[in-house]
Each structure stands twice: as structure tokens, then as C-alpha cells.
Amino acid sequence: MSQLLDGQSAVVTGGASGIGRAISTAFARHGADVVVADRHEEPRRGGSPTHERIRAETDAEATFVECDVTDGAELEAAVDAADAFGGLDVMVNNAGIFGPMAPVAEIEFEAYRELMAINLDAVFRGSQIAADRLIDRGEGGAIVNVSSLAGLQGYAQLTPYCTAKAGVKNLTCSLAAELGPHGIRVNAIHPGEVETAMTTEDFPVFGTENADELAETIPLRKLGQPEDVANAAVFLASDLAGHVTAESLLVDGGARNTA
Ligand code: NAI
């Protein structure tokens, strides 16, 4: 396999499970050493912890840092764990939760705040810490933020999630404008439905008849796998995307741009 990220060091929040696990593993397969930052070490859908899988299956280094992304000190410690691998090159702000899903009048403000703290505030803070370290190093770098199709359009009864993910999109554009002169590229990925614990347990789509119905409505006639998003992240993190910044990259089988 080509080593698109040879010699790079990456931090992936929410790297224990789902999309973050796939991104961490794909990065390692492309030669990057990876800090897996998550509040849980065990993958939500089973298997060995991501950092152990990387060590067993690739030549890359990997470590796990227990980190709640809503805690600034823990997030900072996770980013600084990349120093053991030569210093941060790539930051992936991926950790996120689903919900609360309810009519807007019924959503507890505390639930809204919790969602925003994880899905938006922590992306801001993770980017802020990463920018500081990357500017200090003076070698450029990349920040990849995981937004959603729900960051580009509204969905009824999903206002907090859509609001946070839309915030991630414009945060990405603003940071790209500011950090571009430092050679730091900032991009967002907007996945459609992807098979993870989020979509099998928290908001079950996969494993239900809705999955087939949903797949039939999109051009590629299939829903996404974590590896689909991981491949996009590898591209955005690598020199292949050397002139790509402030981009919103859809990984949705064509759902968004077709009728
Ligand atoms: P997942 O639930 O499988 O994995 C999320 C990971 O984030 C878990 O390991 C969890 O422990 C971690 N996490 C959650 N809150 C955290 C916190 N406060 N601090 C540290 N780690 C935390 O979910 P999935 O599907 O892999 O989601 C990853 C990202 O992709 C999220 O931002 C999600 O909103 C986004 N996304 C997912 C889609 C899907 O269909 N699965 C579609 C579009 C976007």
C-alpha cells in the first residue's frame, strides 16, 4: 500500500469506535503514528482496542489516551501525546454523539448543551490546541473535522445535532482562512449514514428495513461504511490534498446533491 502519511503523527478524537477507529487504522496503514483519544478504550461494537489493533496489524506506533473532549486539559494532554511521535501533524476532531431527537419544545436545554459541548465546542477547542502546536512547529499540517450531512441541511426533531454540525462546517472555513498562511489546511467531512454503533444502537437505521429503503433513495444505492469516511480523511490529511482547504467533502453516496 502507498504510504500517504509516512512519518506523520496524528491525533484522532473518538478514535476507539466507528468512524474514528477506521480513520485511526487507515492513517496507520498509510504510515502515520496515531494517538487514539477517547473517553472509552473499548470499541463500542467489540474487537480489540484501536491502538492495539494498529500495533498488531501495521508498522505504525499507536497509543491510547483517555480523554473526554469536553475537558480542555484532557484534550490538551491528548494532543501533546503526539510529541512522543515527533509532534502533531494531523488533528482529527471526530468524537461526537447523536441526539437529542425530539420536537424542539421538548428538548431539555441541558441535553442541547451537552450535545453542543461534545459536537461543536470540543471541535473548536481541539482545533485551537492543534493550531497552537502546528504553528509552533512551523511545518504546516492538517486539521480534519467530522461534520455530517446534517451540517448542510436541516432535519426535523434533530435541531441540536444539525446546529452543531453546521457550526463545524463554518468553523472549518474560518480556521482555513486564518491558518492557510501557516501552511495548515482545515477541511470537513460530511458523511451520510454510516454503519457504526451510532446508527445501529443510538439511532438504529442499519439492521432495520429503513436501511434498504434509505439506500434506494441515493445514487450509489448503498449506505456508508466507516472505511469510506476513513479514505476521505486519509486524502484530506495527505499531500494529495495539498491545495485543498476550507472544503466540505461529502461522503454520502450522492445523497445530498441529487433528487
Ligand atoms: P460512534 O458512537 O461509533 O463513535 C463515537 C466515538 O466517540 C466513541 O468511541 C465515543 O466513546 C467517542 N466519544 C463520544 N463522546 C466523547 C467525548 N465526550 N470525549 C471523547 N470521546 C467521545 O459514532 P460514529 O458514528 O463513529 O461517529 C463519529 C463521528 O461521525 C461523530 O462526530 C458523528 O456525529 C459523525 N457522523 C456519523 C455518522 C453516522 O452515520 N455514523 C454520519 C455523519 C456524521
PDB file of all heavy atoms in Angstrom, residues 24-62:
ATOM      1  N   SER A  24      -8.297   6.084  12.355  1.00  0.00           N
ATOM      2  CA  SER A  24      -7.026   5.795  13.038  1.00  0.00           C
ATOM      3  C   SER A  24      -6.301   4.649  12.337  1.00  0.00           C
ATOM      4  O   SER A  24      -5.089   4.698  12.096  1.00  0.00           O
ATOM      5  CB  SER A  24      -7.291   5.397  14.499  1.00  0.00           C
ATOM      6  OG  SER A  24      -7.952   6.431  15.181  1.00  0.00           O
ATOM      7  N   THR A  25      -7.035   3.606  12.017  1.00  0.00           N
ATOM      8  CA  THR A  25      -6.437   2.423  11.399  1.00  0.00           C
ATOM      9  C   THR A  25      -5.944   2.723   9.987  1.00  0.00           C
ATOM     10  O   THR A  25      -4.838   2.315   9.597  1.00  0.00           O
ATOM     11  CB  THR A  25      -7.463   1.268  11.377  1.00  0.00           C
ATOM     12  OG1 THR A  25      -7.974   1.089  12.704  1.00  0.00           O
ATOM     13  CG2 THR A  25      -6.839  -0.027  10.916  1.00  0.00           C
ATOM     14  N   ALA A  26      -6.733   3.463   9.231  1.00  0.00           N
ATOM     15  CA  ALA A  26      -6.319   3.813   7.864  1.00  0.00           C
ATOM     16  C   ALA A  26      -5.083   4.708   7.892  1.00  0.00           C
ATOM     17  O   ALA A  26      -4.166   4.540   7.085  1.00  0.00           O
ATOM     18  CB  ALA A  26      -7.472   4.506   7.134  1.00  0.00           C
ATOM     19  N   PHE A  27      -5.064   5.647   8.816  1.00  0.00           N
ATOM     20  CA  PHE A  27      -3.880   6.513   8.940  1.00  0.00           C
ATOM     21  C   PHE A  27      -2.633   5.658   9.201  1.00  0.00           C
ATOM     22  O   PHE A  27      -1.583   5.863   8.595  1.00  0.00           O
ATOM     23  CB  PHE A  27      -4.063   7.507  10.092  1.00  0.00           C
ATOM     24  CG  PHE A  27      -4.831   8.756   9.747  1.00  0.00           C
ATOM     25  CD1 PHE A  27      -5.633   8.829   8.614  1.00  0.00           C
ATOM     26  CD2 PHE A  27      -4.759   9.883  10.556  1.00  0.00           C
ATOM     27  CE1 PHE A  27      -6.343   9.989   8.301  1.00  0.00           C
ATOM     28  CE2 PHE A  27      -5.447  11.048  10.246  1.00  0.00           C
ATOM     29  CZ  PHE A  27      -6.247  11.101   9.132  1.00  0.00           C
ATOM     30  N   ALA A  28      -2.766   4.715  10.133  1.00  0.00           N
ATOM     31  CA  ALA A  28      -1.619   3.866  10.488  1.00  0.00           C
ATOM     32  C   ALA A  28      -1.190   3.020   9.285  1.00  0.00           C
ATOM     33  O   ALA A  28      -0.001   2.843   9.028  1.00  0.00           O
ATOM     34  CB  ALA A  28      -1.974   2.983  11.669  1.00  0.00           C
ATOM     35  N   ARG A  29      -2.159   2.506   8.545  1.00  0.00           N
ATOM     36  CA  ARG A  29      -1.820   1.708   7.350  1.00  0.00           C
ATOM     37  C   ARG A  29      -1.077   2.558   6.325  1.00  0.00           C
ATOM     38  O   ARG A  29      -0.314   2.037   5.518  1.00  0.00           O
ATOM     39  CB  ARG A  29      -3.081   1.099   6.722  1.00  0.00           C
ATOM     40  CG  ARG A  29      -3.694   0.039   7.620  1.00  0.00           C
ATOM     41  CD  ARG A  29      -4.560  -0.963   6.859  1.00  0.00           C
ATOM     42  NE  ARG A  29      -4.947  -2.032   7.768  1.00  0.00           N
ATOM     43  CZ  ARG A  29      -6.175  -2.253   8.231  1.00  0.00           C
ATOM     44  NH1 ARG A  29      -7.172  -1.494   7.814  1.00  0.00           N
ATOM     45  NH2 ARG A  29      -6.423  -3.224   9.079  1.00  0.00           N
ATOM     46  N   HIS A  30      -1.310   3.870   6.371  1.00  0.00           N
ATOM     47  CA  HIS A  30      -0.611   4.780   5.458  1.00  0.00           C
ATOM     48  C   HIS A  30       0.633   5.377   6.105  1.00  0.00           C
ATOM     49  O   HIS A  30       1.164   6.370   5.611  1.00  0.00           O
ATOM     50  CB  HIS A  30      -1.558   5.879   4.978  1.00  0.00           C
ATOM     51  CG  HIS A  30      -2.432   5.422   3.853  1.00  0.00           C
ATOM     52  ND1 HIS A  30      -1.989   5.344   2.556  1.00  0.00           N
ATOM     53  CD2 HIS A  30      -3.703   4.973   3.836  1.00  0.00           C
ATOM     54  CE1 HIS A  30      -2.965   4.888   1.776  1.00  0.00           C
ATOM     55  NE2 HIS A  30      -4.013   4.652   2.524  1.00  0.00           N
ATOM     56  N   GLY A  31       1.067   4.801   7.229  1.00  0.00           N
ATOM     57  CA  GLY A  31       2.371   5.180   7.776  1.00  0.00           C
ATOM     58  C   GLY A  31       2.361   6.177   8.905  1.00  0.00           C
ATOM     59  O   GLY A  31       3.430   6.545   9.405  1.00  0.00           O
ATOM     60  N   ALA A  32       1.186   6.647   9.347  1.00  0.00           N
ATOM     61  CA  ALA A  32       1.149   7.633  10.437  1.00  0.00           C
ATOM     62  C   ALA A  32       1.143   6.941  11.796  1.00  0.00           C
ATOM     63  O   ALA A  32       0.526   5.879  11.963  1.00  0.00           O
ATOM     64  CB  ALA A  32      -0.094   8.509  10.313  1.00  0.00           C
ATOM     65  N   ASP A  33       1.822   7.548  12.765  1.00  0.00           N
ATOM     66  CA  ASP A  33       1.676   7.134  14.154  1.00  0.00           C
ATOM     67  C   ASP A  33       0.451   7.849  14.713  1.00  0.00           C
ATOM     68  O   ASP A  33       0.211   9.015  14.394  1.00  0.00           O
ATOM     69  CB  ASP A  33       2.928   7.506  14.949  1.00  0.00           C
ATOM     70  CG  ASP A  33       4.162   6.776  14.426  1.00  0.00           C
ATOM     71  OD1 ASP A  33       4.012   5.609  13.998  1.00  0.00           O
ATOM     72  OD2 ASP A  33       5.263   7.365  14.443  1.00  0.00           O
ATOM     73  N   VAL A  34      -0.305   7.134  15.562  1.00  0.00           N
ATOM     74  CA  VAL A  34      -1.632   7.643  15.918  1.00  0.00           C
ATOM     75  C   VAL A  34      -1.855   7.671  17.429  1.00  0.00           C
ATOM     76  O   VAL A  34      -1.601   6.685  18.132  1.00  0.00           O
ATOM     77  CB  VAL A  34      -2.736   6.762  15.275  1.00  0.00           C
ATOM     78  CG1 VAL A  34      -4.120   7.320  15.599  1.00  0.00           C
ATOM     79  CG2 VAL A  34      -2.549   6.676  13.764  1.00  0.00           C
ATOM     80  N   VAL A  35      -2.356   8.805  17.900  1.00  0.00           N
ATOM     81  CA  VAL A  35      -2.866   8.903  19.271  1.00  0.00           C
ATOM     82  C   VAL A  35      -4.381   8.738  19.193  1.00  0.00           C
ATOM     83  O   VAL A  35      -5.067   9.548  18.560  1.00  0.00           O
ATOM     84  CB  VAL A  35      -2.536  10.275  19.901  1.00  0.00           C
ATOM     85  CG1 VAL A  35      -3.155  10.378  21.287  1.00  0.00           C
ATOM     86  CG2 VAL A  35      -1.033  10.504  19.941  1.00  0.00           C
ATOM     87  N   VAL A  36      -4.874   7.688  19.816  1.00  0.00           N
ATOM     88  CA  VAL A  36      -6.309   7.445  19.872  1.00  0.00           C
ATOM     89  C   VAL A  36      -6.824   8.094  21.154  1.00  0.00           C
ATOM     90  O   VAL A  36      -6.472   7.673  22.259  1.00  0.00           O
ATOM     91  CB  VAL A  36      -6.610   5.926  19.894  1.00  0.00           C
ATOM     92  CG1 VAL A  36      -8.105   5.672  20.034  1.00  0.00           C
ATOM     93  CG2 VAL A  36      -6.056   5.265  18.643  1.00  0.00           C
ATOM     94  N   ALA A  37      -7.620   9.137  21.004  1.00  0.00           N
ATOM     95  CA  ALA A  37      -8.113   9.884  22.162  1.00  0.00           C
ATOM     96  C   ALA A  37      -9.611   9.643  22.294  1.00  0.00           C
ATOM     97  O   ALA A  37     -10.380   9.989  21.400  1.00  0.00           O
ATOM     98  CB  ALA A  37      -7.836  11.370  21.982  1.00  0.00           C
ATOM     99  N   ASP A  38      -9.999   9.057  23.399  1.00  0.00           N
ATOM    100  CA  ASP A  38     -11.418   8.710  23.541  1.00  0.00           C
ATOM    101  C   ASP A  38     -11.728   8.591  25.031  1.00  0.00           C
ATOM    102  O   ASP A  38     -10.838   8.330  25.837  1.00  0.00           O
ATOM    103  CB  ASP A  38     -11.717   7.369  22.835  1.00  0.00           C
ATOM    104  CG  ASP A  38     -13.183   7.206  22.445  1.00  0.00           C
ATOM    105  OD1 ASP A  38     -14.044   7.208  23.356  1.00  0.00           O
ATOM    106  OD2 ASP A  38     -13.463   7.068  21.245  1.00  0.00           O
ATOM    107  N   ARG A  39     -13.005   8.730  25.372  1.00  0.00           N
ATOM    108  CA  ARG A  39     -13.324   8.550  26.796  1.00  0.00           C
ATOM    109  C   ARG A  39     -13.455   7.069  27.144  1.00  0.00           C
ATOM    110  O   ARG A  39     -13.488   6.721  28.320  1.00  0.00           O
ATOM    111  CB  ARG A  39     -14.548   9.347  27.198  1.00  0.00           C
ATOM    112  CG  ARG A  39     -15.820   9.043  26.476  1.00  0.00           C
ATOM    113  CD  ARG A  39     -16.932   9.937  26.998  1.00  0.00           C
ATOM    114  NE  ARG A  39     -18.098   9.877  26.142  1.00  0.00           N
ATOM    115  CZ  ARG A  39     -19.171  10.615  26.293  1.00  0.00           C
ATOM    116  NH1 ARG A  39     -19.243  11.474  27.277  1.00  0.00           N
ATOM    117  NH2 ARG A  39     -20.193  10.495  25.469  1.00  0.00           N
ATOM    118  N   HIS A  40     -13.562   6.220  26.137  1.00  0.00           N
ATOM    119  CA  HIS A  40     -13.576   4.777  26.374  1.00  0.00           C
ATOM    120  C   HIS A  40     -12.496   4.118  25.531  1.00  0.00           C
ATOM    121  O   HIS A  40     -12.296   4.499  24.369  1.00  0.00           O
ATOM    122  CB  HIS A  40     -14.921   4.163  25.991  1.00  0.00           C
ATOM    123  CG  HIS A  40     -16.069   4.774  26.736  1.00  0.00           C
ATOM    124  ND1 HIS A  40     -16.210   4.674  28.092  1.00  0.00           N
ATOM    125  CD2 HIS A  40     -17.105   5.505  26.303  1.00  0.00           C
ATOM    126  CE1 HIS A  40     -17.304   5.319  28.469  1.00  0.00           C
ATOM    127  NE2 HIS A  40     -17.865   5.844  27.413  1.00  0.00           N
ATOM    128  N   GLU A  41     -11.858   3.110  26.076  1.00  0.00           N
ATOM    129  CA  GLU A  41     -10.816   2.407  25.322  1.00  0.00           C
ATOM    130  C   GLU A  41     -11.419   1.320  24.423  1.00  0.00           C
ATOM    131  O   GLU A  41     -10.937   1.058  23.325  1.00  0.00           O
ATOM    132  CB  GLU A  41      -9.823   1.775  26.317  1.00  0.00           C
ATOM    133  CG  GLU A  41      -8.606   1.178  25.668  1.00  0.00           C
ATOM    134  CD  GLU A  41      -7.521   0.829  26.686  1.00  0.00           C
ATOM    135  OE1 GLU A  41      -7.648   1.239  27.865  1.00  0.00           O
ATOM    136  OE2 GLU A  41      -6.567   0.143  26.307  1.00  0.00           O
ATOM    137  N   GLU A  42     -12.474   0.670  24.922  1.00  0.00           N
ATOM    138  CA  GLU A  42     -13.052  -0.462  24.195  1.00  0.00           C
ATOM    139  C   GLU A  42     -13.927   0.029  23.036  1.00  0.00           C
ATOM    140  O   GLU A  42     -14.745   0.928  23.212  1.00  0.00           O
ATOM    141  CB  GLU A  42     -13.918  -1.318  25.136  1.00  0.00           C
ATOM    142  CG  GLU A  42     -13.171  -1.918  26.316  1.00  0.00           C
ATOM    143  CD  GLU A  42     -12.030  -2.845  25.886  1.00  0.00           C
ATOM    144  OE1 GLU A  42     -12.222  -3.580  24.898  1.00  0.00           O
ATOM    145  OE2 GLU A  42     -10.973  -2.804  26.537  1.00  0.00           O
ATOM    146  N   PRO A  43     -13.789  -0.581  21.865  1.00  0.00           N
ATOM    147  CA  PRO A  43     -14.671  -0.218  20.746  1.00  0.00           C
ATOM    148  C   PRO A  43     -16.124  -0.537  21.074  1.00  0.00           C
ATOM    149  O   PRO A  43     -16.413  -1.586  21.665  1.00  0.00           O
ATOM    150  CB  PRO A  43     -14.185  -1.112  19.599  1.00  0.00           C
ATOM    151  CG  PRO A  43     -12.836  -1.578  19.994  1.00  0.00           C
ATOM    152  CD  PRO A  43     -12.805  -1.603  21.490  1.00  0.00           C
ATOM    153  N   ARG A  44     -17.028   0.338  20.700  1.00  0.00           N
ATOM    154  CA  ARG A  44     -18.442   0.131  21.039  1.00  0.00           C
ATOM    155  C   ARG A  44     -18.997  -1.133  20.412  1.00  0.00           C
ATOM    156  O   ARG A  44     -19.912  -1.746  20.942  1.00  0.00           O
ATOM    157  CB  ARG A  44     -19.278   1.342  20.591  1.00  0.00           C
ATOM    158  CG  ARG A  44     -18.964   2.618  21.344  1.00  0.00           C
ATOM    159  CD  ARG A  44     -19.988   3.707  21.031  1.00  0.00           C
ATOM    160  NE  ARG A  44     -21.337   3.319  21.405  1.00  0.00           N
ATOM    161  CZ  ARG A  44     -22.427   3.958  21.013  1.00  0.00           C
ATOM    162  NH1 ARG A  44     -22.329   5.004  20.206  1.00  0.00           N
ATOM    163  NH2 ARG A  44     -23.626   3.556  21.399  1.00  0.00           N
ATOM    164  N   ARG A  45     -18.474  -1.540  19.263  1.00  0.00           N
ATOM    165  CA  ARG A  45     -19.003  -2.741  18.594  1.00  0.00           C
ATOM    166  C   ARG A  45     -18.069  -3.934  18.741  1.00  0.00           C
ATOM    167  O   ARG A  45     -18.130  -4.887  17.964  1.00  0.00           O
ATOM    168  CB  ARG A  45     -19.279  -2.445  17.118  1.00  0.00           C
ATOM    169  CG  ARG A  45     -20.250  -1.289  16.915  1.00  0.00           C
ATOM    170  CD  ARG A  45     -20.657  -1.148  15.478  1.00  0.00           C
ATOM    171  NE  ARG A  45     -21.672  -2.109  15.077  1.00  0.00           N
ATOM    172  CZ  ARG A  45     -21.900  -2.475  13.827  1.00  0.00           C
ATOM    173  NH1 ARG A  45     -21.153  -1.989  12.857  1.00  0.00           N
ATOM    174  NH2 ARG A  45     -22.853  -3.341  13.550  1.00  0.00           N
ATOM    175  N   GLY A  46     -17.197  -3.898  19.734  1.00  0.00           N
ATOM    176  CA  GLY A  46     -16.337  -5.048  20.006  1.00  0.00           C
ATOM    177  C   GLY A  46     -15.033  -5.025  19.238  1.00  0.00           C
ATOM    178  O   GLY A  46     -14.771  -4.142  18.433  1.00  0.00           O
ATOM    179  N   GLY A  47     -14.201  -6.031  19.522  1.00  0.00           N
ATOM    180  CA  GLY A  47     -12.879  -6.094  18.908  1.00  0.00           C
ATOM    181  C   GLY A  47     -11.834  -5.523  19.852  1.00  0.00           C
ATOM    182  O   GLY A  47     -12.158  -4.990  20.916  1.00  0.00           O
ATOM    183  N   SER A  48     -10.570  -5.655  19.441  1.00  0.00           N
ATOM    184  CA  SER A  48      -9.509  -5.167  20.316  1.00  0.00           C
ATOM    185  C   SER A  48      -9.453  -3.641  20.220  1.00  0.00           C
ATOM    186  O   SER A  48      -9.852  -3.053  19.206  1.00  0.00           O
ATOM    187  CB  SER A  48      -8.169  -5.791  19.919  1.00  0.00           C
ATOM    188  OG  SER A  48      -7.870  -5.442  18.593  1.00  0.00           O
ATOM    189  N   PRO A  49      -8.964  -2.988  21.290  1.00  0.00           N
ATOM    190  CA  PRO A  49      -8.854  -1.526  21.250  1.00  0.00           C
ATOM    191  C   PRO A  49      -8.075  -1.069  20.016  1.00  0.00           C
ATOM    192  O   PRO A  49      -7.149  -1.762  19.558  1.00  0.00           O
ATOM    193  CB  PRO A  49      -8.102  -1.203  22.539  1.00  0.00           C
ATOM    194  CG  PRO A  49      -8.458  -2.320  23.467  1.00  0.00           C
ATOM    195  CD  PRO A  49      -8.556  -3.543  22.590  1.00  0.00           C
ATOM    196  N   THR A  50      -8.437   0.085  19.506  1.00  0.00           N
ATOM    197  CA  THR A  50      -7.877   0.564  18.235  1.00  0.00           C
ATOM    198  C   THR A  50      -6.351   0.598  18.250  1.00  0.00           C
ATOM    199  O   THR A  50      -5.697   0.157  17.297  1.00  0.00           O
ATOM    200  CB  THR A  50      -8.432   1.962  17.916  1.00  0.00           C
ATOM    201  OG1 THR A  50      -9.861   1.886  17.894  1.00  0.00           O
ATOM    202  CG2 THR A  50      -7.934   2.456  16.576  1.00  0.00           C
ATOM    203  N   HIS A  51      -5.776   1.126  19.335  1.00  0.00           N
ATOM    204  CA  HIS A  51      -4.307   1.258  19.350  1.00  0.00           C
ATOM    205  C   HIS A  51      -3.641  -0.117  19.343  1.00  0.00           C
ATOM    206  O   HIS A  51      -2.586  -0.298  18.725  1.00  0.00           O
ATOM    207  CB  HIS A  51      -3.839   2.093  20.539  1.00  0.00           C
ATOM    208  CG  HIS A  51      -4.080   1.485  21.874  1.00  0.00           C
ATOM    209  ND1 HIS A  51      -5.353   1.286  22.372  1.00  0.00           N
ATOM    210  CD2 HIS A  51      -3.226   1.011  22.805  1.00  0.00           C
ATOM    211  CE1 HIS A  51      -5.260   0.724  23.557  1.00  0.00           C
ATOM    212  NE2 HIS A  51      -3.990   0.543  23.854  1.00  0.00           N
ATOM    213  N   GLU A  52      -4.293  -1.101  19.976  1.00  0.00           N
ATOM    214  CA  GLU A  52      -3.722  -2.465  19.957  1.00  0.00           C
ATOM    215  C   GLU A  52      -3.838  -3.066  18.561  1.00  0.00           C
ATOM    216  O   GLU A  52      -2.935  -3.745  18.074  1.00  0.00           O
ATOM    217  CB  GLU A  52      -4.430  -3.349  20.987  1.00  0.00           C
ATOM    218  CG  GLU A  52      -4.070  -2.951  22.413  1.00  0.00           C
ATOM    219  CD  GLU A  52      -4.797  -3.809  23.450  1.00  0.00           C
ATOM    220  OE1 GLU A  52      -5.433  -4.815  23.079  1.00  0.00           O
ATOM    221  OE2 GLU A  52      -4.734  -3.428  24.635  1.00  0.00           O
ATOM    222  N   ARG A  53      -4.973  -2.818  17.922  1.00  0.00           N
ATOM    223  CA  ARG A  53      -5.155  -3.331  16.559  1.00  0.00           C
ATOM    224  C   ARG A  53      -4.104  -2.738  15.615  1.00  0.00           C
ATOM    225  O   ARG A  53      -3.515  -3.451  14.788  1.00  0.00           O
ATOM    226  CB  ARG A  53      -6.562  -2.990  16.053  1.00  0.00           C
ATOM    227  CG  ARG A  53      -6.815  -3.511  14.648  1.00  0.00           C
ATOM    228  CD  ARG A  53      -8.277  -3.471  14.274  1.00  0.00           C
ATOM    229  NE  ARG A  53      -8.624  -2.211  13.651  1.00  0.00           N
ATOM    230  CZ  ARG A  53      -9.693  -2.035  12.870  1.00  0.00           C
ATOM    231  NH1 ARG A  53     -10.542  -3.036  12.656  1.00  0.00           N
ATOM    232  NH2 ARG A  53      -9.958  -0.875  12.351  1.00  0.00           N
ATOM    233  N   ILE A  54      -3.852  -1.448  15.787  1.00  0.00           N
ATOM    234  CA  ILE A  54      -2.854  -0.789  14.925  1.00  0.00           C
ATOM    235  C   ILE A  54      -1.477  -1.409  15.151  1.00  0.00           C
ATOM    236  O   ILE A  54      -0.756  -1.715  14.193  1.00  0.00           O
ATOM    237  CB  ILE A  54      -2.826   0.733  15.210  1.00  0.00           C
ATOM    238  CG1 ILE A  54      -4.088   1.383  14.650  1.00  0.00           C
ATOM    239  CG2 ILE A  54      -1.554   1.375  14.638  1.00  0.00           C
ATOM    240  CD1 ILE A  54      -4.264   2.836  15.030  1.00  0.00           C
ATOM    241  N   ARG A  55      -1.136  -1.611  16.411  1.00  0.00           N
ATOM    242  CA  ARG A  55       0.189  -2.189  16.702  1.00  0.00           C
ATOM    243  C   ARG A  55       0.307  -3.594  16.129  1.00  0.00           C
ATOM    244  O   ARG A  55       1.361  -4.007  15.644  1.00  0.00           O
ATOM    245  CB  ARG A  55       0.414  -2.236  18.210  1.00  0.00           C
ATOM    246  CG  ARG A  55       0.704  -0.870  18.811  1.00  0.00           C
ATOM    247  CD  ARG A  55       1.061  -1.053  20.271  1.00  0.00           C
ATOM    248  NE  ARG A  55       0.966   0.182  21.016  1.00  0.00           N
ATOM    249  CZ  ARG A  55       0.643   0.252  22.311  1.00  0.00           C
ATOM    250  NH1 ARG A  55       0.344  -0.841  22.987  1.00  0.00           N
ATOM    251  NH2 ARG A  55       0.606   1.403  22.917  1.00  0.00           N
ATOM    252  N   ALA A  56      -0.795  -4.351  16.194  1.00  0.00           N
ATOM    253  CA  ALA A  56      -0.753  -5.737  15.727  1.00  0.00           C
ATOM    254  C   ALA A  56      -0.743  -5.829  14.199  1.00  0.00           C
ATOM    255  O   ALA A  56      -0.139  -6.742  13.636  1.00  0.00           O
ATOM    256  CB  ALA A  56      -1.960  -6.499  16.279  1.00  0.00           C
ATOM    257  N   GLU A  57      -1.416  -4.895  13.548  1.00  0.00           N
ATOM    258  CA  GLU A  57      -1.648  -5.057  12.096  1.00  0.00           C
ATOM    259  C   GLU A  57      -0.816  -4.145  11.212  1.00  0.00           C
ATOM    260  O   GLU A  57      -0.834  -4.291   9.988  1.00  0.00           O
ATOM    261  CB  GLU A  57      -3.139  -4.824  11.790  1.00  0.00           C
ATOM    262  CG  GLU A  57      -4.038  -5.862  12.428  1.00  0.00           C
ATOM    263  CD  GLU A  57      -5.519  -5.622  12.119  1.00  0.00           C
ATOM    264  OE1 GLU A  57      -5.836  -4.745  11.290  1.00  0.00           O
ATOM    265  OE2 GLU A  57      -6.335  -6.319  12.730  1.00  0.00           O
ATOM    266  N   THR A  58      -0.114  -3.176  11.808  1.00  0.00           N
ATOM    267  CA  THR A  58       0.660  -2.241  10.975  1.00  0.00           C
ATOM    268  C   THR A  58       2.046  -2.045  11.589  1.00  0.00           C
ATOM    269  O   THR A  58       2.317  -2.502  12.693  1.00  0.00           O
ATOM    270  CB  THR A  58      -0.020  -0.851  10.872  1.00  0.00           C
ATOM    271  OG1 THR A  58       0.218  -0.128  12.083  1.00  0.00           O
ATOM    272  CG2 THR A  58      -1.511  -0.967  10.640  1.00  0.00           C
ATOM    273  N   ASP A  59       2.880  -1.316  10.863  1.00  0.00           N
ATOM    274  CA  ASP A  59       4.216  -0.987  11.374  1.00  0.00           C
ATOM    275  C   ASP A  59       4.211   0.315  12.159  1.00  0.00           C
ATOM    276  O   ASP A  59       5.257   0.756  12.641  1.00  0.00           O
ATOM    277  CB  ASP A  59       5.214  -0.850  10.212  1.00  0.00           C
ATOM    278  CG  ASP A  59       5.405  -2.187   9.507  1.00  0.00           C
ATOM    279  OD1 ASP A  59       5.278  -3.227  10.186  1.00  0.00           O
ATOM    280  OD2 ASP A  59       5.649  -2.177   8.281  1.00  0.00           O
ATOM    281  N   ALA A  60       3.048   0.951  12.263  1.00  0.00           N
ATOM    282  CA  ALA A  60       2.979   2.258  12.916  1.00  0.00           C
ATOM    283  C   ALA A  60       2.913   2.117  14.434  1.00  0.00           C
ATOM    284  O   ALA A  60       2.558   1.060  14.966  1.00  0.00           O
ATOM    285  CB  ALA A  60       1.753   3.016  12.413  1.00  0.00           C
ATOM    286  N   GLU A  61       3.230   3.219  15.095  1.00  0.00           N
ATOM    287  CA  GLU A  61       3.064   3.306  16.546  1.00  0.00           C
ATOM    288  C   GLU A  61       1.655   3.805  16.838  1.00  0.00           C
ATOM    289  O   GLU A  61       1.075   4.568  16.047  1.00  0.00           O
ATOM    290  CB  GLU A  61       4.060   4.315  17.137  1.00  0.00           C
ATOM    291  CG  GLU A  61       5.495   3.882  17.090  1.00  0.00           C
ATOM    292  CD  GLU A  61       5.742   2.733  18.072  1.00  0.00           C
ATOM    293  OE1 GLU A  61       5.042   2.662  19.088  1.00  0.00           O
ATOM    294  OE2 GLU A  61       6.615   1.914  17.790  1.00  0.00           O
ATOM    295  N   ALA A  62       1.141   3.397  18.008  1.00  0.00           N
ATOM    296  CA  ALA A  62      -0.168   3.920  18.409  1.00  0.00           C
ATOM    297  C   ALA A  62      -0.259   3.891  19.918  1.00  0.00           C
ATOM    298  O   ALA A  62       0.342   3.033  20.579  1.00  0.00           O
ATOM    299  CB  ALA A  62      -1.293   3.086  17.804  1.00  0.00           C
TER     300      ALA A  62
END
